[in-house]
Amino acid sequence: MCGILGVVATTPVNQLLYDGLMVLQHRGQDAAGIATAEGNTFHMHKGPGLVRDVFRTRNMRALPGNWGIGHCRYPTAGSAWNFAEAQPFYVNSPFGLTLAHNGNLTNAEVLKEEMFVQDLRHVNTNSDSEVLLNVLAHELQAAAKGARLDPDIIFRAVAGVHRRVRGAYAVVAMIAGYGLLAFRDPFGIRPLVMGRNPVEEGYEYLISSESVTLDTLGFEVMRDIAPGEAVFIDLQRNLSSRQCADKPVYAPCIFEYVYLARPDSLMDGVSVYETRLRMGEFLAEKVKQVLNPADIDVVIPIPDSSRPSAMQLAQALNIPYREGFVKNRYIGRTFIMPGQSTRKKSVRQKLNTVSHEFKGKRVLLVDDSIVRGTTSREIVEMARAAGALKVYFASAAPPVRFPNVYGIDMPTRGELIATGRTDDEIAKEIGADALVYQELDALKAAVRALNPELTCFDTSCFDGTYVTGDITPAYLDKVENGRGGKGKSSNEDDSNATQQLDLNLMGNNAEH
């Protein structure tokens, strides 16, 4: 996952984009970037690290303009350490384009070959986002048949992208001299929402991965961008939209509700917080089937995503709820850290126990999910070290047994603790006295209860069913075999730490 946003306003947007990326920081901590437009010139600054570390006052001053896009990166495809893959990406032909992308293309290698052989375009990095940018550029060039653009041409180009591209993609892009384009893949796997802010001249518009960005920046939520839909906002802030996919299917990634999204977001008409409460209700029923609630003295969440589920579970079982772990707010989310050793080292730096909540008690720990098991194992050890008599573990999500290929860092079956193991074996691996998993049907029901129109989800990491229909065992093997080259030495780490990029880029349509 990554965080993306785009804005068309009446005043400079550099601070607005920065503030929005800060709100979306939970979606990516590897790199950040902002591109703005002033006349026909793009201004861009991007670099590795957290948003607050990438941008300084001098960088913000170098980002003038009343419209722009932003991105915070969480690496999945490509190299986790290649600075050149920070977004947004830029291509000068046709018209001048910048693009930021959340998701993962499943046919990126085929497209990259097509770019070179058929479209005569060079892709400079291993990033599937740069591939997507070049596909969009080619389709715009093919649709334009000249030097002028209008919404019909732009939407035909997006339709061409949908015909060629497979996988998950939520996109914001700028077309120099024309306006802001946003679109979502035909399955709506990754989220995208738009909002508006009334001004004297009409409306300003903001498009983001999550509605929480709109809330915090003072924009009214309009609606989610539909699967396959494209939205175009020109420089006079006129909004056009069109369905550009032949057979769109609403199938959002259910893991967004489990873990990825902020609880204060609305996503595809569903409150993430309310969903997590309902997950707790369903999980309580499963706990009753596996454990005797009378043998549990206290329910303790593993901060932060599991809190709503743990509270509702405790209430349903009539068991005291307690905060047994204190979180260091200055440590990043361990699930999205780019290396197993980094994740393991950070767990005890991130969490500390409130010892008296554990000592002499039979404890039920609740987490949103168990992926690699690294964090779970460390936390169980911490609970025992704090004096817990028994440590039971409950997951608000089902077992993660399959790779995710749509933009979440779960690509290797060997990394997933649930692959090839029973629940009892997993409990032994993490050191718990018993383990309870949510049922997949219950997880779906928890989301669907808040929006009955969502009849289909991408649940591939739980059941191995990939909604795009193009994932084969050979593809999964290739992805996993490619994982071996993602690491780097500590020397490389030091050399890349300060690399940043500033660009002033002139679009081609200088007559605008």
Side-chain angles (χ1 to χ4, degrees):
M1 67 178 182
C2 296
I4 62 172
L5 70 160
V7 62
V8 180
T10 57
T11 57
V13 296
N14 50 0
Q15 187 66 50
L16 196 67
L17 288 165
Y18 176 91
D19 293 342
L21 288 180
M22 290 291 286
V23 175
L24 294 176
Q25 185 72 87
H26 63 287
R27 297 189 67 88
Q29 302 168 3
D30 182 64
I34 289 174
T36 60
E38 185 183 35
N40 296 303
T41 301
F42 290 139
H43 307 278
M44 186 188 304
H45 178 76
K46 58 183 181 178
L50 301 175
V51 175
R52 68 183 183 216
D53 298 323
V54 172
F55 296 96
R56 295 287 186 262
T57 301
R58 64 183 182 275
N59 309 130
M60 299 297 288
R61 288 173 177 164
L63 293 169
N66 294 354
W67 58 300
I69 61 176
H71 185 273
C72 54
R73 182 174 187 262
Y74 156 66
T76 50
S79 168
W81 307 103
N82 187 347
F83 163 72
E85 294 176 12
Q87 296 187 42
F89 280 109
Y90 166 79
V91 67
N92 67 345
S93 177
F95 306 105
L97 298 171
T98 63
L99 176 144
H101 163 222
N102 174 31
N104 190 55
L105 307 189
T106 56
N107 65 335
E109 290 302 316
V110 172
L111 289 170
K112 192 172 183 179
E113 181 68 17
E114 288 180 3
M115 287 290 100
F116 183 74
V117 175
Q118 298 178 21
D119 302 340
L120 305 180
R121 287 182 170 271
H122 172 67
V123 178
N124 196 50
T125 71
N126 290 324
S127 173
D128 60 329
S129 302
E130 190 187 7
V131 173
L132 181 57
L133 169 63
N134 277 275
V135 173
L136 175 61
H138 177 80
E139 294 300 323
L140 268 175
Q141 188 169 358
K145 306 299 184 185
R148 304 288 297 183
L149 288 178
D150 58 38
D152 283 342
I153 292 171
I154 293 168
F155 293 144
R156 285 204 302 272
V158 174
V161 171
H162 289 330
R163 285 192 294 270
R164 296 182 67 179
V165 172
R166 299 290 178 268
Y169 49 97
V171 171
V172 289
M174 293 193 294
I175 308 173
Y178 285 100
L180 177 72
L181 171 66
F183 56 93
R184 197 173 176 192
D185 71 73
F187 294 91
I189 298 172
R190 299 268 75 86
L192 200 60
V193 62
M194 64 178 175
R196 65 185 183 183
N197 177 49
V199 292
E200 288 185 7
E201 303 88 345
Y203 290 100
E204 300 174 323
Y205 291 96
L206 177 64
I207 295 173
S208 176
S209 295
E210 296 189 28
S211 66
V212 64
T213 315
L214 309 178
D215 298 337
T216 57
L217 297 180
F219 282 70
E220 169 197 357
V221 175
M222 296 170 63
R223 61 179 177 85
D224 295 278
I225 293 177
E229 184 185 15
V231 172
F232 179 69
I233 305 161
D234 67 23
L235 299 188
Q236 289 71 48
R237 300 182 313 285
N238 299 307
L239 185 147
S240 306
S241 64
R242 183 176 300 174
Q243 177 54 253
C244 298
D246 292 334
K247 297 179 180 179
V249 177
Y250 229 135
C253 173
I254 206 164
F255 208 75
E256 290 277 358
Y257 303 98
V258 171
Y259 174 80
L260 301 181
R262 272 182 47 157
D264 45 346
S265 281
L266 290 172
M267 196 167 286
D268 294 311
V270 174
S271 162
V272 175
Y273 182 79
E274 290 287 337
T275 297
R276 291 174 184 172
L277 289 176
R278 289 185 178 267
M279 289 177 196
E281 295 174 4
F282 284 109
L283 186 58
E285 295 302 312
K286 183 66 179 294
V287 168
K288 291 178 184 178
Q289 299 172 21
V290 178
L291 301 171
N292 181 358
D295 292 336
I296 303 171
D297 298 316
V298 64
V299 173
I300 294 177
I302 299 168
D304 283 315
S305 305
S306 66
R307 279 199 175 103
S309 297
M311 285 191 295
Q312 205 72 357
L313 179 149
Q315 181 177 330
L317 297 180
N318 197 27
I319 298 172
Y321 169 92
R322 294 290 185 270
E323 293 284 345
F325 294 100
V326 176
K327 184 176 181 180
N328 182 346
R329 301 289 175 184
Y330 302 98
I331 300 292
R333 301 179 87 177
T334 55
F335 173 76
I336 61 174
M337 287 185 176
Q340 184 74 1
S341 60
T342 306
R343 277 187 292 267
K344 187 170 182 180
K345 179 181 178 182
S346 73
V347 174
R348 290 180 184 266
Q349 295 174 344
K350 184 176 74 169
L351 296 176
N352 191 38
T353 56
V354 180
S355 297
H356 70 267
E357 295 296 350
F358 293 91
K359 191 171 183 179
K361 297 179 182 179
R362 297 164 297 179
V363 177
L364 174 61
L365 302 179
V366 180
D367 207 351
D368 51 74
S369 59
I370 305 171
V371 180
R372 295 166 178 85
T374 306
T375 300
S376 305
R377 188 180 302 112
E378 291 281 316
I379 285 173
V380 170
E381 290 176 2
M382 292 170 67
R384 293 198 188 280
L389 295 178
K390 293 279 188 179
V391 180
Y392 307 116
F393 206 102
S395 168
V400 177
R401 301 189 188 277
F402 300 93
N404 183 288
V405 298
Y406 299 130
I408 306 175
D409 192 17
M410 304 175 186
T412 306
R413 284 161 285 191
E415 292 178 336
L416 305 176
I417 194 170
T419 301
R421 292 186 177 95
T422 65
D423 290 1
D424 288 342
E425 289 170 339
I426 299 167
K428 185 177 180 180
E429 283 289 323
I430 66 173
D433 294 293
L435 174 63
V436 181
Y437 274 113
Q438 183 82 274
E439 295 292 337
L440 181 55
D441 286 343
L443 177 59
K444 293 178 182 178
V447 181
R448 192 177 292 124
L450 299 170
N451 184 359
E453 293 182 7
L454 293 178
T455 59
C456 182
F457 300 95
D458 172 59
T459 56
S460 54
C461 60
F462 303 123
D463 60 9
T465 300
Y466 297 91
V467 294
T468 55
D470 60 334
I471 306 304
T472 64
Y475 177 88
L476 295 178
D477 289 341
K478 184 175 181 180
V479 170
E480 293 184 358
N481 291 336
R483 291 276 288 172
K486 288 183 74 172
K488 67 171 187 135
S489 69
S490 59
N491 290 336
E492 289 173 299
D493 191 23
D494 293 338
S495 65
N496 281 342
T498 59
Q499 274 192 294
Q500 295 188 349
L501 180 64
D502 286 288
L503 294 175
N504 291 310
L505 305 163
M506 180 67 73
N508 288 347
N509 49 336
E511 69 271 18
H512 288 314

PDB file of all heavy atoms in Angstrom, residues 413-440:
ATOM      1  N   ARG A 413       5.330 -17.096   0.517  1.00  0.00           N
ATOM      2  CA  ARG A 413       4.630 -18.056   1.357  1.00  0.00           C
ATOM      3  C   ARG A 413       5.479 -18.512   2.526  1.00  0.00           C
ATOM      4  O   ARG A 413       4.977 -18.745   3.624  1.00  0.00           O
ATOM      5  CB  ARG A 413       4.194 -19.253   0.504  1.00  0.00           C
ATOM      6  CG  ARG A 413       2.992 -18.980  -0.364  1.00  0.00           C
ATOM      7  CD  ARG A 413       2.835 -19.964  -1.506  1.00  0.00           C
ATOM      8  NE  ARG A 413       3.798 -19.693  -2.574  1.00  0.00           N
ATOM      9  CZ  ARG A 413       3.761 -20.259  -3.769  1.00  0.00           C
ATOM     10  NH1 ARG A 413       2.806 -21.130  -4.056  1.00  0.00           N
ATOM     11  NH2 ARG A 413       4.650 -19.956  -4.679  1.00  0.00           N
ATOM     12  N   GLY A 414       6.786 -18.616   2.328  1.00  0.00           N
ATOM     13  CA  GLY A 414       7.666 -19.034   3.403  1.00  0.00           C
ATOM     14  C   GLY A 414       7.735 -18.051   4.549  1.00  0.00           C
ATOM     15  O   GLY A 414       8.112 -18.413   5.666  1.00  0.00           O
ATOM     16  N   GLU A 415       7.373 -16.778   4.283  1.00  0.00           N
ATOM     17  CA  GLU A 415       7.375 -15.757   5.333  1.00  0.00           C
ATOM     18  C   GLU A 415       6.105 -15.776   6.162  1.00  0.00           C
ATOM     19  O   GLU A 415       6.057 -15.179   7.240  1.00  0.00           O
ATOM     20  CB  GLU A 415       7.538 -14.362   4.713  1.00  0.00           C
ATOM     21  CG  GLU A 415       8.888 -14.108   4.085  1.00  0.00           C
ATOM     22  CD  GLU A 415       8.960 -12.731   3.459  1.00  0.00           C
ATOM     23  OE1 GLU A 415       7.907 -12.173   3.102  1.00  0.00           O
ATOM     24  OE2 GLU A 415      10.085 -12.218   3.333  1.00  0.00           O
ATOM     25  N   LEU A 416       5.056 -16.411   5.676  1.00  0.00           N
ATOM     26  CA  LEU A 416       3.754 -16.387   6.335  1.00  0.00           C
ATOM     27  C   LEU A 416       3.656 -17.546   7.314  1.00  0.00           C
ATOM     28  O   LEU A 416       3.701 -18.717   6.925  1.00  0.00           O
ATOM     29  CB  LEU A 416       2.640 -16.473   5.300  1.00  0.00           C
ATOM     30  CG  LEU A 416       2.688 -15.400   4.206  1.00  0.00           C
ATOM     31  CD1 LEU A 416       1.589 -15.643   3.180  1.00  0.00           C
ATOM     32  CD2 LEU A 416       2.566 -14.007   4.806  1.00  0.00           C
ATOM     33  N   ILE A 417       3.477 -17.239   8.585  1.00  0.00           N
ATOM     34  CA  ILE A 417       3.532 -18.262   9.607  1.00  0.00           C
ATOM     35  C   ILE A 417       2.382 -19.266   9.486  1.00  0.00           C
ATOM     36  O   ILE A 417       2.517 -20.423   9.884  1.00  0.00           O
ATOM     37  CB  ILE A 417       3.526 -17.622  11.018  1.00  0.00           C
ATOM     38  CG1 ILE A 417       3.920 -18.661  12.073  1.00  0.00           C
ATOM     39  CG2 ILE A 417       2.200 -16.958  11.313  1.00  0.00           C
ATOM     40  CD1 ILE A 417       4.175 -18.063  13.433  1.00  0.00           C
ATOM     41  N   ALA A 418       1.254 -18.857   8.897  1.00  0.00           N
ATOM     42  CA  ALA A 418       0.104 -19.757   8.799  1.00  0.00           C
ATOM     43  C   ALA A 418       0.192 -20.723   7.634  1.00  0.00           C
ATOM     44  O   ALA A 418      -0.539 -21.718   7.599  1.00  0.00           O
ATOM     45  CB  ALA A 418      -1.183 -18.946   8.692  1.00  0.00           C
ATOM     46  N   THR A 419       1.080 -20.466   6.669  1.00  0.00           N
ATOM     47  CA  THR A 419       1.179 -21.345   5.508  1.00  0.00           C
ATOM     48  C   THR A 419       1.694 -22.717   5.926  1.00  0.00           C
ATOM     49  O   THR A 419       2.779 -22.855   6.482  1.00  0.00           O
ATOM     50  CB  THR A 419       2.112 -20.745   4.448  1.00  0.00           C
ATOM     51  OG1 THR A 419       1.616 -19.466   4.049  1.00  0.00           O
ATOM     52  CG2 THR A 419       2.203 -21.653   3.229  1.00  0.00           C
ATOM     53  N   GLY A 420       0.882 -23.747   5.658  1.00  0.00           N
ATOM     54  CA  GLY A 420       1.302 -25.118   5.948  1.00  0.00           C
ATOM     55  C   GLY A 420       1.228 -25.507   7.411  1.00  0.00           C
ATOM     56  O   GLY A 420       1.716 -26.584   7.789  1.00  0.00           O
ATOM     57  N   ARG A 421       0.623 -24.684   8.268  1.00  0.00           N
ATOM     58  CA  ARG A 421       0.526 -25.011   9.694  1.00  0.00           C
ATOM     59  C   ARG A 421      -0.928 -24.996  10.155  1.00  0.00           C
ATOM     60  O   ARG A 421      -1.735 -24.222   9.665  1.00  0.00           O
ATOM     61  CB  ARG A 421       1.316 -24.006  10.546  1.00  0.00           C
ATOM     62  CG  ARG A 421       2.819 -24.066  10.380  1.00  0.00           C
ATOM     63  CD  ARG A 421       3.502 -23.131  11.393  1.00  0.00           C
ATOM     64  NE  ARG A 421       4.962 -23.219  11.320  1.00  0.00           N
ATOM     65  CZ  ARG A 421       5.732 -22.408  10.622  1.00  0.00           C
ATOM     66  NH1 ARG A 421       5.160 -21.424   9.920  1.00  0.00           N
ATOM     67  NH2 ARG A 421       7.041 -22.545  10.608  1.00  0.00           N
ATOM     68  N   THR A 422      -1.237 -25.854  11.119  1.00  0.00           N
ATOM     69  CA  THR A 422      -2.544 -25.819  11.768  1.00  0.00           C
ATOM     70  C   THR A 422      -2.557 -24.714  12.818  1.00  0.00           C
ATOM     71  O   THR A 422      -1.510 -24.161  13.178  1.00  0.00           O
ATOM     72  CB  THR A 422      -2.845 -27.158  12.444  1.00  0.00           C
ATOM     73  OG1 THR A 422      -1.905 -27.355  13.520  1.00  0.00           O
ATOM     74  CG2 THR A 422      -2.734 -28.314  11.456  1.00  0.00           C
ATOM     75  N   ASP A 423      -3.742 -24.431  13.349  1.00  0.00           N
ATOM     76  CA  ASP A 423      -3.844 -23.403  14.386  1.00  0.00           C
ATOM     77  C   ASP A 423      -3.010 -23.779  15.608  1.00  0.00           C
ATOM     78  O   ASP A 423      -2.356 -22.919  16.219  1.00  0.00           O
ATOM     79  CB  ASP A 423      -5.301 -23.203  14.791  1.00  0.00           C
ATOM     80  CG  ASP A 423      -6.127 -22.546  13.696  1.00  0.00           C
ATOM     81  OD1 ASP A 423      -5.569 -22.270  12.618  1.00  0.00           O
ATOM     82  OD2 ASP A 423      -7.337 -22.323  13.919  1.00  0.00           O
ATOM     83  N   ASP A 424      -3.031 -25.051  15.974  1.00  0.00           N
ATOM     84  CA  ASP A 424      -2.255 -25.489  17.136  1.00  0.00           C
ATOM     85  C   ASP A 424      -0.755 -25.331  16.879  1.00  0.00           C
ATOM     86  O   ASP A 424       0.002 -24.937  17.780  1.00  0.00           O
ATOM     87  CB  ASP A 424      -2.566 -26.949  17.477  1.00  0.00           C
ATOM     88  CG  ASP A 424      -3.960 -27.120  18.078  1.00  0.00           C
ATOM     89  OD1 ASP A 424      -4.530 -26.104  18.549  1.00  0.00           O
ATOM     90  OD2 ASP A 424      -4.483 -28.244  18.059  1.00  0.00           O
ATOM     91  N   GLU A 425      -0.336 -25.618  15.664  1.00  0.00           N
ATOM     92  CA  GLU A 425       1.085 -25.465  15.338  1.00  0.00           C
ATOM     93  C   GLU A 425       1.500 -23.995  15.335  1.00  0.00           C
ATOM     94  O   GLU A 425       2.609 -23.645  15.762  1.00  0.00           O
ATOM     95  CB  GLU A 425       1.362 -26.109  13.971  1.00  0.00           C
ATOM     96  CG  GLU A 425       1.289 -27.633  13.990  1.00  0.00           C
ATOM     97  CD  GLU A 425       1.322 -28.243  12.595  1.00  0.00           C
ATOM     98  OE1 GLU A 425       0.999 -27.528  11.610  1.00  0.00           O
ATOM     99  OE2 GLU A 425       1.669 -29.438  12.486  1.00  0.00           O
ATOM    100  N   ILE A 426       0.604 -23.131  14.870  1.00  0.00           N
ATOM    101  CA  ILE A 426       0.908 -21.700  14.887  1.00  0.00           C
ATOM    102  C   ILE A 426       0.992 -21.204  16.321  1.00  0.00           C
ATOM    103  O   ILE A 426       1.890 -20.411  16.675  1.00  0.00           O
ATOM    104  CB  ILE A 426      -0.159 -20.914  14.102  1.00  0.00           C
ATOM    105  CG1 ILE A 426      -0.191 -21.357  12.645  1.00  0.00           C
ATOM    106  CG2 ILE A 426       0.119 -19.407  14.171  1.00  0.00           C
ATOM    107  CD1 ILE A 426      -1.406 -20.868  11.884  1.00  0.00           C
ATOM    108  N   ALA A 427       0.063 -21.657  17.167  1.00  0.00           N
ATOM    109  CA  ALA A 427       0.099 -21.270  18.581  1.00  0.00           C
ATOM    110  C   ALA A 427       1.429 -21.661  19.205  1.00  0.00           C
ATOM    111  O   ALA A 427       2.029 -20.886  19.969  1.00  0.00           O
ATOM    112  CB  ALA A 427      -1.062 -21.926  19.326  1.00  0.00           C
ATOM    113  N   LYS A 428       1.903 -22.842  18.872  1.00  0.00           N
ATOM    114  CA  LYS A 428       3.193 -23.292  19.408  1.00  0.00           C
ATOM    115  C   LYS A 428       4.327 -22.424  18.890  1.00  0.00           C
ATOM    116  O   LYS A 428       5.261 -22.082  19.638  1.00  0.00           O
ATOM    117  CB  LYS A 428       3.425 -24.755  19.025  1.00  0.00           C
ATOM    118  CG  LYS A 428       4.687 -25.360  19.622  1.00  0.00           C
ATOM    119  CD  LYS A 428       4.812 -26.829  19.264  1.00  0.00           C
ATOM    120  CE  LYS A 428       6.085 -27.430  19.862  1.00  0.00           C
ATOM    121  NZ  LYS A 428       6.226 -28.874  19.509  1.00  0.00           N
ATOM    122  N   GLU A 429       4.256 -22.043  17.618  1.00  0.00           N
ATOM    123  CA  GLU A 429       5.304 -21.219  17.026  1.00  0.00           C
ATOM    124  C   GLU A 429       5.410 -19.852  17.703  1.00  0.00           C
ATOM    125  O   GLU A 429       6.503 -19.325  17.887  1.00  0.00           O
ATOM    126  CB  GLU A 429       5.053 -21.027  15.526  1.00  0.00           C
ATOM    127  CG  GLU A 429       5.398 -22.218  14.664  1.00  0.00           C
ATOM    128  CD  GLU A 429       6.901 -22.437  14.565  1.00  0.00           C
ATOM    129  OE1 GLU A 429       7.641 -21.438  14.507  1.00  0.00           O
ATOM    130  OE2 GLU A 429       7.321 -23.598  14.555  1.00  0.00           O
ATOM    131  N   ILE A 430       4.274 -19.269  18.062  1.00  0.00           N
ATOM    132  CA  ILE A 430       4.315 -17.945  18.684  1.00  0.00           C
ATOM    133  C   ILE A 430       4.361 -18.033  20.206  1.00  0.00           C
ATOM    134  O   ILE A 430       4.455 -17.000  20.878  1.00  0.00           O
ATOM    135  CB  ILE A 430       3.131 -17.066  18.235  1.00  0.00           C
ATOM    136  CG1 ILE A 430       1.799 -17.624  18.744  1.00  0.00           C
ATOM    137  CG2 ILE A 430       3.124 -16.899  16.724  1.00  0.00           C
ATOM    138  CD1 ILE A 430       0.608 -16.691  18.473  1.00  0.00           C
ATOM    139  N   GLY A 431       4.281 -19.248  20.750  1.00  0.00           N
ATOM    140  CA  GLY A 431       4.418 -19.431  22.190  1.00  0.00           C
ATOM    141  C   GLY A 431       3.146 -19.237  22.986  1.00  0.00           C
ATOM    142  O   GLY A 431       3.198 -19.096  24.209  1.00  0.00           O
ATOM    143  N   ALA A 432       1.984 -19.216  22.319  1.00  0.00           N
ATOM    144  CA  ALA A 432       0.718 -19.004  23.013  1.00  0.00           C
ATOM    145  C   ALA A 432       0.146 -20.321  23.525  1.00  0.00           C
ATOM    146  O   ALA A 432       0.401 -21.394  22.959  1.00  0.00           O
ATOM    147  CB  ALA A 432      -0.275 -18.332  22.076  1.00  0.00           C
ATOM    148  N   ASP A 433      -0.648 -20.242  24.587  1.00  0.00           N
ATOM    149  CA  ASP A 433      -1.305 -21.436  25.117  1.00  0.00           C
ATOM    150  C   ASP A 433      -2.466 -21.872  24.245  1.00  0.00           C
ATOM    151  O   ASP A 433      -2.824 -23.061  24.231  1.00  0.00           O
ATOM    152  CB  ASP A 433      -1.798 -21.170  26.550  1.00  0.00           C
ATOM    153  CG  ASP A 433      -0.642 -20.963  27.518  1.00  0.00           C
ATOM    154  OD1 ASP A 433       0.101 -21.932  27.767  1.00  0.00           O
ATOM    155  OD2 ASP A 433      -0.469 -19.830  27.999  1.00  0.00           O
ATOM    156  N   ALA A 434      -3.073 -20.957  23.527  1.00  0.00           N
ATOM    157  CA  ALA A 434      -4.132 -21.275  22.566  1.00  0.00           C
ATOM    158  C   ALA A 434      -4.252 -20.107  21.604  1.00  0.00           C
ATOM    159  O   ALA A 434      -3.883 -18.977  21.924  1.00  0.00           O
ATOM    160  CB  ALA A 434      -5.461 -21.537  23.265  1.00  0.00           C
ATOM    161  N   LEU A 435      -4.778 -20.413  20.423  1.00  0.00           N
ATOM    162  CA  LEU A 435      -4.897 -19.409  19.376  1.00  0.00           C
ATOM    163  C   LEU A 435      -6.283 -19.484  18.757  1.00  0.00           C
ATOM    164  O   LEU A 435      -6.785 -20.583  18.456  1.00  0.00           O
ATOM    165  CB  LEU A 435      -3.833 -19.654  18.295  1.00  0.00           C
ATOM    166  CG  LEU A 435      -3.875 -18.792  17.031  1.00  0.00           C
ATOM    167  CD1 LEU A 435      -3.659 -17.319  17.363  1.00  0.00           C
ATOM    168  CD2 LEU A 435      -2.822 -19.268  16.027  1.00  0.00           C
ATOM    169  N   VAL A 436      -6.909 -18.332  18.568  1.00  0.00           N
ATOM    170  CA  VAL A 436      -8.234 -18.254  17.959  1.00  0.00           C
ATOM    171  C   VAL A 436      -8.170 -17.309  16.767  1.00  0.00           C
ATOM    172  O   VAL A 436      -7.754 -16.153  16.904  1.00  0.00           O
ATOM    173  CB  VAL A 436      -9.290 -17.739  18.965  1.00  0.00           C
ATOM    174  CG1 VAL A 436     -10.664 -17.684  18.303  1.00  0.00           C
ATOM    175  CG2 VAL A 436      -9.314 -18.610  20.207  1.00  0.00           C
ATOM    176  N   TYR A 437      -8.612 -17.801  15.602  1.00  0.00           N
ATOM    177  CA  TYR A 437      -8.664 -16.985  14.394  1.00  0.00           C
ATOM    178  C   TYR A 437     -10.109 -16.650  14.046  1.00  0.00           C
ATOM    179  O   TYR A 437     -11.027 -17.464  14.239  1.00  0.00           O
ATOM    180  CB  TYR A 437      -8.080 -17.751  13.203  1.00  0.00           C
ATOM    181  CG  TYR A 437      -6.588 -17.650  13.024  1.00  0.00           C
ATOM    182  CD1 TYR A 437      -5.769 -18.763  13.197  1.00  0.00           C
ATOM    183  CD2 TYR A 437      -5.989 -16.456  12.645  1.00  0.00           C
ATOM    184  CE1 TYR A 437      -4.392 -18.691  12.999  1.00  0.00           C
ATOM    185  CE2 TYR A 437      -4.616 -16.362  12.444  1.00  0.00           C
ATOM    186  CZ  TYR A 437      -3.822 -17.483  12.621  1.00  0.00           C
ATOM    187  OH  TYR A 437      -2.467 -17.400  12.422  1.00  0.00           O
ATOM    188  N   GLN A 438     -10.303 -15.475  13.475  1.00  0.00           N
ATOM    189  CA  GLN A 438     -11.588 -15.090  12.905  1.00  0.00           C
ATOM    190  C   GLN A 438     -11.905 -15.977  11.702  1.00  0.00           C
ATOM    191  O   GLN A 438     -11.004 -16.384  10.957  1.00  0.00           O
ATOM    192  CB  GLN A 438     -11.517 -13.635  12.428  1.00  0.00           C
ATOM    193  CG  GLN A 438     -12.798 -13.057  11.884  1.00  0.00           C
ATOM    194  CD  GLN A 438     -13.710 -12.576  12.987  1.00  0.00           C
ATOM    195  OE1 GLN A 438     -14.484 -13.371  13.526  1.00  0.00           O
ATOM    196  NE2 GLN A 438     -13.590 -11.313  13.346  1.00  0.00           N
ATOM    197  N   GLU A 439     -13.176 -16.269  11.480  1.00  0.00           N
ATOM    198  CA  GLU A 439     -13.602 -16.979  10.280  1.00  0.00           C
ATOM    199  C   GLU A 439     -13.708 -15.980   9.118  1.00  0.00           C
ATOM    200  O   GLU A 439     -14.118 -14.833   9.310  1.00  0.00           O
ATOM    201  CB  GLU A 439     -14.951 -17.661  10.498  1.00  0.00           C
ATOM    202  CG  GLU A 439     -14.930 -18.768  11.540  1.00  0.00           C
ATOM    203  CD  GLU A 439     -14.127 -19.977  11.102  1.00  0.00           C
ATOM    204  OE1 GLU A 439     -13.964 -20.161   9.874  1.00  0.00           O
ATOM    205  OE2 GLU A 439     -13.654 -20.725  11.971  1.00  0.00           O
ATOM    206  N   LEU A 440     -13.360 -16.434   7.919  1.00  0.00           N
ATOM    207  CA  LEU A 440     -13.394 -15.539   6.762  1.00  0.00           C
ATOM    208  C   LEU A 440     -14.809 -15.044   6.487  1.00  0.00           C
ATOM    209  O   LEU A 440     -15.017 -13.864   6.181  1.00  0.00           O
ATOM    210  CB  LEU A 440     -12.822 -16.240   5.531  1.00  0.00           C
ATOM    211  CG  LEU A 440     -12.773 -15.403   4.244  1.00  0.00           C
ATOM    212  CD1 LEU A 440     -12.014 -14.099   4.462  1.00  0.00           C
ATOM    213  CD2 LEU A 440     -12.130 -16.208   3.109  1.00  0.00           C
TER     214      LEU A 440
END
